[in-house]
Amino acid sequence: MKLKNSSLFQTKCYINGFWLDAQNGATIAVTNPADQRLLGTIPNMGRNEALEAVKAASKAFDRWKKRSAKERANLLRRWFELIMQHQDDLVLLLTLEQGKPLAEAKGEIAYGASYIEWFAEEAKRLYGDTIPAPSATQRIVVNKQPIGVCAAITPWNFPNAMITRKAAPALAAGCTFIIRPASQTPYSALALAVLAEQAGIPKGVFNVITGSAREIGEVLTFDDRVKKFSFTGSTPVGKTLMKQCASTIKKVSLELGGNAPFIVFDDADIESAVQGAILSKFRNAGQTCVCANRFYVQSSVYDEFVEKFSNATRELNIGNGLDDGVQIGPLIDENAVAKVQAYLDDALAKGAELVTGGKRLGESLFFEPTIVKNATSEMLVAKEEIFAPLAPVFKFDTIEQAIEYANDTEFGLASYFYAQNIKTIVQVSDALEYGMVGINTGLISNEAAPFGGVKQSGLGREGSKYGIDEYVEMKYLALGGL
Ligand SMILES: NC(=O)c1ccc[n+]([C@@H]2O[C@H](COP(=O)([O-])OP(=O)(O)OC[C@H]3O[C@@H](n4cnc5c(N)ncnc54)[C@H](O)[C@@H]3O)[C@@H](O)[C@H]2O)c1
Ligand SMILES: O=C[C@H](O)CS(=O)(=O)O
């Protein structure tokens, strides 16, 4: 691994300011999904180490919450600056462990850092209220206080940004933070800890623990000293963790699965819609929670859209993310390849027609960007989150059909549509049951916007002026006898 700063490649966990192995010396191997080569190992920690992390975060909270907002802001700003100074190394680490092309990894590092930059500023704007009291002898004051020790568990698909999107508001609010990253992609999280330490963020404030999801997850969700739990991952796991948090009534944020519709109306700019479709569908080889999952195209422009979308898809360059010009990297593991093959086989067996792609490259984890047309609601691709480079294209006739089909899912994270008519835009954006709606764009994620879902796609919002509210408690002071 040719890093400019080799200290960024850490194979130990960061707890209470110390770099530690598992108490029993157990480790987990980490491999590069592009070639299955061993990158290194990480500690396979469990219950005991998780308890140490909670103890450290609890102790550090008493001091961290008393730092001024400006002091916390300045430390976060320094962390942001160090991340951007070391972007090249962080990009290389991310592509090696997750597989996404270097250009996308560069985008993720900047995106992840933007949350730290954003919440460094929000730290200084955590305002309360004074409210005119009904009684002349009273005053009402409302303030916001850090909730306490926060814990999080994150997925492998965005190994940097899913962590900073939580850690930044937590630290900005005055909370301390414990992250357990996915075991497939731990090195991005550990590199963030190296830079947090260099930025001067005190020991115990930001802690990274790797290892047993179940054991560590049980400590982070059942331990009463943890006051806030934030999870990004699949809906089934989110439900499990939410249940575990109920035992101590923790404040919970959930960023879960999606099943995004991508609707193309007959007055859409088709060229623009195709560009948006490529961006939304094939980013991270289709492995993002906001990827377009179902394409609904109005019948009069169906053939044109399918032809132009497939022509653009055939141009995509698939290969090792380290190589120049690669746009489609590998899937994360064998299970992901088997799942997309099963979805494709099911669609074809139920009448879909293959337009482009459809093949796994040898025995690798690479799967061609694939489009099928004549998709129908009976197919698994209409109901489940594909999380791979497979695009089913459905046909509709009326705006009412488009809305009905788009909302026919338990998920409600991202949605997209392309239209020019303002009445269509207002009617459809009002009717879509999703937390986020991209209108004439396939890219909706940024630090200034409230990212999150409705229905079974989650609870709460990350980023924007709303994101810090997930990490505070509101306190109302009634000043009487005046
Ligand atoms: N809404 C969002 O912002 C968002 C972002 C990224 C990914 N996701 C979703 O995540 C899923 C893909 O990621 P994934 O396969 O890693 O999801 P996953 O739910 O299988 O795993 C997510 C994380 O939870 C851990 N985990 C799994 N079971 C656990 C348990 N019982 N206790 C504690 N931790 C446990 C995993 O090790 C991993 O670190 C997709 O559904 C995708 O939509 C959502
Ligand atoms: O996979 C889920 C991420 O939240 C995707 S994004 O980078 O925030 O769009």
Side-chain angles (χ1 to χ4, degrees):
M1 198 175 290
K2 299 181 179 59
L3 299 178
K4 296 172 189 167
N5 180 341
S6 59
S7 72
L8 287 171
F9 180 60
Q10 273 298 337
T11 59
K12 295 176 185 287
C13 293
Y14 184 66
I15 298 174
N16 199 26
F18 296 97
W19 293 95
L20 302 173
D21 291 315
Q23 290 171 6
N24 62 8
T27 59
I28 298 170
V30 182
T31 56
N32 177 346
D35 56 16
Q36 285 77 55
R37 286 182 186 165
L38 180 71
L39 295 172
T41 63
I42 50 168
N44 189 2
M45 292 189 168
R47 175 178 170 74
N48 293 340
E49 295 93 339
L51 289 169
E52 286 303 309
V54 171
K55 181 181 171 188
S58 303
K59 189 163 177 241
F61 176 58
D62 290 338
R63 296 186 303 277
W64 182 243
K65 70 180 180 184
K66 291 172 184 155
R67 302 290 286 268
S68 75
K70 189 165 184 178
E71 287 175 311
R72 291 199 294 267
N74 289 340
L75 287 166
L76 284 171
R77 178 75 201 181
R78 181 68 188 130
W79 193 18
F80 161 74
E81 290 165 352
L82 287 169
I83 289 169
M84 293 313 291
Q85 285 167 20
H86 293 84
Q87 189 176 16
D88 291 347
D89 281 347
L90 296 175
V91 165
L92 181 55
L93 276 174
L94 202 159
T95 292
L96 283 169
E97 67 177 357
Q98 197 273 339
K100 66 182 65 174
L102 289 173
E104 281 196 32
K106 185 170 185 179
E108 182 181 344
I109 297 302
Y111 172 56
S114 73
Y115 283 103
I116 299 175
E117 181 188 36
W118 175 269
F119 285 106
E121 288 304 317
E122 288 298 289
K124 297 182 282 187
R125 291 170 184 76
L126 197 50
Y127 300 143
D129 294 298
T130 55
I131 300 168
S135 159
T137 64
Q138 280 206 345
R139 291 288 186 275
I140 296 174
V141 174
V142 176
N143 63 31
K144 293 180 180 176
Q145 294 182 323
I147 196 167
V149 173
C150 302
I153 293 177
T154 50
W156 49 262
N157 63 337
F158 285 83
N160 174 285
M162 294 306 96
I163 293 171
T164 59
R165 202 160 79 177
K166 301 172 189 301
L171 269 56
C175 300
T176 51
F177 191 78
I178 304 163
I179 174 70
R180 186 275 177 185
S183 299
Q184 301 96 321
T185 56
Y187 293 129
S188 296
L190 294 168
L192 283 171
V194 171
L195 297 175
E197 186 180 36
Q198 286 181 17
I201 292 173
K203 68 178 187 175
V205 172
F206 181 75
N207 303 277
V208 182
I209 178 170
T210 61
S212 165
R214 184 184 56 75
E215 278 194 36
I216 296 168
E218 284 176 355
V219 170
L220 300 182
T221 53
F222 285 120
D223 194 308
D224 194 33
R225 291 170 294 175
V226 176
K227 303 301 182 191
K228 162 78 183 183
F229 184 76
S230 182
F231 174 69
T232 296
S234 66
T235 293
V237 174
K239 289 179 178 178
T240 299
L241 296 174
M242 184 177 182
K243 284 177 193 159
Q244 292 178 195
C245 287
S247 64
T248 52
I249 309 293
K250 284 182 188 17
K251 192 167 187 172
V252 174
S253 295
L254 299 173
E255 294 287 351
L256 304 178
N259 181 1
F262 188 105
I263 309 168
V264 181
F265 288 97
D266 57 12
D267 68 337
D269 174 337
I270 299 297
E271 302 296 339
S272 174
V274 167
Q275 285 173 12
I278 292 287
L279 281 172
S280 171
K281 177 67 247 184
F282 296 119
R283 185 160 68 103
N284 202 15
Q287 301 170 116
T288 93
C289 57
V290 292
C291 278
N293 211 62
R294 298 165 285 156
F295 290 84
Y296 294 104
V297 182
Q298 201 150 19
S299 42
S300 60
V301 294
Y302 186 87
D303 293 340
E304 179 189 2
F305 177 81
V306 168
E307 181 188 1
K308 290 180 175 175
F309 183 26
S310 53
N311 289 343
T313 299
R314 289 189 194 96
E315 295 303 309
L316 292 172
N317 182 5
I318 185 170
N320 189 316
L322 294 175
D323 297 340
D324 286 346
V326 165
Q327 295 158 294
I328 303 286
L331 300 186
I332 192 68
D333 56 24
E334 283 291 343
N335 182 44
V337 176
K339 263 179 70 177
V340 68
Q341 188 64 63
Y343 285 141
L344 177 58
D345 294 346
D346 172 81
L348 297 176
K350 293 174 181 173
E353 183 182 328
L354 182 66
V355 179
T356 186
K359 290 194 298 294
R360 174 182 192 168
L361 302 189
E363 292 304 306
S364 73
L365 296 180
F366 293 93
F367 200 92
E368 292 177 325
T370 300
I371 296 173
V372 295
K373 68 178 185 180
N374 303 335
T376 65
S377 59
E378 288 69 48
M379 298 170 188
L380 290 176
V381 290
K383 304 174 177 64
E384 298 185 16
E385 182 179 41
I386 298 166
F387 226 61
L390 169 59
V393 188
F394 304 75
K395 193 180 287 186
F396 73 90
D397 293 315
T398 67
I399 192 169
E400 290 72 21
Q401 280 178 341
I403 292 168
E404 180 194 345
Y405 298 160
N407 285 337
D408 182 18
T409 172
E410 70 272 26
F411 294 105
L413 189 60
S415 56
Y416 309 87
F417 70 90
Y418 279 71
Q420 304 290 337
N421 180 293
I422 189 62
K423 284 177 70 177
T424 302
I425 289 172
V426 170
Q427 181 183 350
V428 175
S429 51
D430 281 355
L432 286 174
E433 298 165 353
Y434 292 85
M436 302 179 283
V437 184
I439 302 165
N440 297 322
T441 180
L443 278 182
I444 57 176
S445 307
N446 59 73
E447 74 281 13
F451 187 104
V454 299
K455 295 168 58 172
Q456 296 191 36
S457 286
L459 291 170
R461 292 295 182 271
E462 296 189 322
S464 79
K465 67 173 185 176
Y466 302 102
I468 203 165
D469 289 343
E470 304 290 339
Y471 296 92
V472 299
E473 288 290 12
M474 194 180 291
K475 181 179 284 180
Y476 148 49
L477 311 179
L479 299 173
L482 301 175

